[in-house]
Amino acid sequence: MVKAQLIEAQDRFIASWGRMGSVWGISRTMAEVHALLYITGQPMCTDEIMDRLRVSRGNVSMSVRSLLEWAVIEKVRLPGDRKEYFQAEQDVWSMLRAIARERIKREVDPLLDALDEIGELAPQVGSHSPEDVVALQRRLDGVREGFGLITTLTHKFAGPRGAGLQTAAKLLAKAPVGRSTKHLKSRKGARP
Amino acid sequence: MVKAQLIEAQDRFIASWGRMGSVWGISRTMAEVHALLYITGQPMCTDEIMDRLRVSRGNVSMSVRSLLEWAVIEKVRLPGDRKEYFQAEQDVWSMLRAIARERIKREVDPLLDALDEIGELAPQVGSHSPEDVVALQRRLDGVREGFGLITTLTHKFAGPRGAGLQTAAKLLAKAPVGRSTKHLKSRKGARP
DNA sequence: TACTATTTTCAGATTTTTCTGAAATCTCAT
DNA sequence: ATGAGATTTCAGAAAAATCTGAAAATAGTA
């Protein structure tokens, strides 16, 4: 029975994606709901999701709301049905862009804001500053520069009007680095 | 008193970095220890870290071990002192490379392994495959392709023998994307 | 409007993660 | 080899995150 194998494979995908979710700092259920909608490609309603993942209505409601904020799923209305259905973005690159955008927003932007504040609050560098102060400001600037560049690039390539992650990836993949890449682990079954 | 302001600024940096740690899925203390060592630039021993961050000896021991695995701090021995001291990598780009490497290892590699397994376990596409099966394999391949590229690029630019994140960043920053970047939020006090 | 299917909210329960502290282990100078 | 100082380990405590379920709010239809 092919159907059973199909469900089994979907469930495994859902489990893997869910496990990754925890590493990312998003809840397991939220990741699982996304995985379910992505891997089946079907619009599903709250009850279908609850049944398939064995989680409560409240949990589905909260997970779905977050996923809508992340913009990796959208609401769909089926005519003649009062329920709301949800469908995942099917294009992988759009999905990755959305994830990159949201992660930067959550992980990097708050840090940059804090760095600006700290830099102002800290003693300013003047002509007779003690070495301590100079070093502190230098280190703050270092971090700001690094993460600032990451944010800028993310906006450039993954932002709502960005050039696209695929573009960035191609640029980088082609770039000559003048080193052997033989050490890269080749994956079984990888497509060319 | 400049000293007090200095400590205050350091503490704020430590708190921000620690808060980010939780979003990243690493423990707050681990991030705080790293922040402390980075922002002071000083080699510090276990007791100094305990006192400054108000955490237990065991917690410092475990955090330090993880940071050593991440390769963002290293052990230093001061002559004539029996204690071990720890010092953070001071170059921001090296630090970011180490973080990128470790996060890919923890977040992406396990997913890729799982995807390979699932692809094999799932029904294979043949000439008469039902649409379901074709769609499943197509979606699995999509995810594999996206994350596979991310891993490859990370190895290329952030790996132990990689070309360096700075190189990648420069390549991307220069790349013409043919769009306005005016929408990018400019940060107060940003250095040129 | 009134009715009811559907969704949201959130206090408390459950689960997971992190932290502590003291015992066990290690290590190095003598 | 010995022992004082330093580090690691890990069981249980504490804290944080997640989840449930039912009541409250909302939205669609007649």
Side-chain angles (χ1 to χ4, degrees):
Chain A
M1 185 69 177
V2 165
K3 184 78 170 290
Q5 283 179 282
L6 199 75
I7 304 272
E8 163 74 5
Q10 291 176 343
D11 283 348
R12 288 242 210 167
F13 178 78
I14 292 166
S16 302
W17 197 259
R19 206 169 302 119
M20 266 229 330
S22 359
V23 184
W24 288 11
I26 70 172
S27 92
R28 203 187 83 258
T29 303
M30 178 178 158
E32 285 180 352
V33 172
H34 181 226
L36 172 61
L37 294 175
Y38 173 75
I39 204 64
T40 62
Q42 300 291 317
M44 293 178 100
C45 68
T46 304
D47 290 273
E48 288 170 330
I49 297 169
M50 286 170 64
D51 291 349
R52 179 75 184 259
L53 301 181
R54 310 307 218 78
V55 293
S56 71
R57 186 174 301 283
N59 201 354
V60 170
S61 174
M62 291 187 301
S63 297
V64 151
R65 180 173 36 188
S66 303
L67 290 167
L68 288 168
E69 274 166 26
W70 280 60
V72 290
I73 67 171
E74 55 182 18
K75 281 190 191 170
V76 185
R77 302 212 63 106
L78 301 192
D81 192 333
R82 218 150 134 176
K83 293 195 201 64
E84 289 182 322
Y85 286 74
F86 305 96
Q87 187 165 33
E89 166 65 57
Q90 285 292 300
D91 179 69
V92 174
W93 292 101
S94 297
M95 183 180 99
L96 289 178
R97 275 172 46 187
I99 292 174
R101 234 183 294 135
E102 194 65 24
R103 294 191 75 176
I104 289 292
K105 196 166 89 190
R106 289 160 41 95
E107 302 180 11
V108 180
D109 288 353
L111 178 71
L112 286 174
D113 289 342
L115 285 172
D116 286 338
E117 232 184 78
I118 295 165
E120 282 162 25
L121 167 150
Q124 299 303 307
V125 172
S127 34
H128 309 297
S129 300
E131 172 55 25
D132 279 1
V133 170
V134 179
L136 175 77
Q137 290 284 359
R138 196 179 52 236
R139 290 192 186 100
L140 288 175
D141 279 348
V143 179
R144 200 157 23 191
E145 187 195 321
F147 283 95
L149 187 46
I150 290 171
T151 297
T152 304
L153 291 177
T154 305
H155 281 135
K156 189 166 175 178
F157 290 97
R161 306 205 150 280
L165 274 188
Q166 242 173 332
T167 311
K170 274 184 212 146
L171 282 169
L172 287 177
K174 280 182 193 162
V177 297
R179 294 199 197 244
S180 161
T181 52
K182 275 191 194 140
H183 65 284
L184 294 179
K185 178 177 159 197
S186 77
R187 330 204 108 267
K188 41 181 173 164
R191 309 298 185 277
Chain B
M1 184 68 177
V2 165
K3 184 77 171 290
Q5 285 180 281
L6 200 73
I7 304 270
E8 163 74 5
Q10 290 175 345
D11 283 347
R12 288 242 211 168
F13 177 78
I14 292 165
S16 303
W17 197 259
R19 207 168 302 120
M20 265 229 328
S22 357
V23 184
W24 289 10
I26 70 171
S27 94
R28 203 187 83 257
T29 304
M30 177 178 159
E32 285 181 353
V33 172
H34 180 226
L36 173 62
L37 295 174
Y38 173 76
I39 204 63
T40 62
Q42 300 292 317
M44 294 178 100
C45 67
T46 303
D47 290 272
E48 289 169 330
I49 297 170
M50 286 170 63
D51 291 348
R52 180 75 184 260
L53 301 181
R54 310 309 218 77
V55 292
S56 72
R57 185 173 301 283
N59 200 355
V60 170
S61 174
M62 292 187 300
S63 297
V64 150
R65 177 170 41 182
S66 302
L67 290 167
L68 289 168
E69 276 167 24
W70 280 60
V72 291
I73 69 171
E74 56 183 17
K75 280 189 189 172
V76 184
R77 303 212 63 107
L78 301 192
D81 192 332
R82 214 149 135 183
K83 292 195 202 63
E84 289 182 322
Y85 286 74
F86 305 95
Q87 187 166 33
E89 166 64 56
Q90 285 292 300
D91 179 68
V92 174
W93 292 101
S94 297
M95 183 181 99
L96 290 178
R97 275 173 45 187
I99 292 174
R101 235 183 294 135
E102 194 66 24
R103 293 191 75 177
I104 289 292
K105 196 166 88 191
R106 290 159 41 95
E107 302 181 10
V108 180
D109 287 353
L111 178 70
L112 285 174
D113 289 342
L115 284 172
D116 286 338
E117 233 183 77
I118 296 166
E120 281 162 26
L121 166 150
Q124 299 303 308
V125 172
S127 34
H128 309 296
S129 300
E131 172 54 28
D132 279 359
V133 171
V134 179
L136 175 77
Q137 290 286 357
R138 196 178 53 234
R139 291 193 185 99
L140 288 175
D141 278 348
V143 178
R144 199 157 25 189
E145 187 195 321
F147 283 95
L149 189 46
I150 291 172
T151 298
T152 304
L153 291 177
T154 304
H155 281 135
K156 187 164 177 179
F157 291 97
R161 307 203 151 280
L165 273 189
Q166 241 172 334
T167 312
K170 274 185 211 143
L171 281 170
L172 287 177
K174 281 181 192 161
V177 296
R179 295 197 195 244
S180 161
T181 52
K182 277 191 191 136
H183 66 285
L184 294 181
K185 179 177 160 196
S186 77
R187 337 204 103 266
K188 42 180 174 167
R191 308 297 185 277

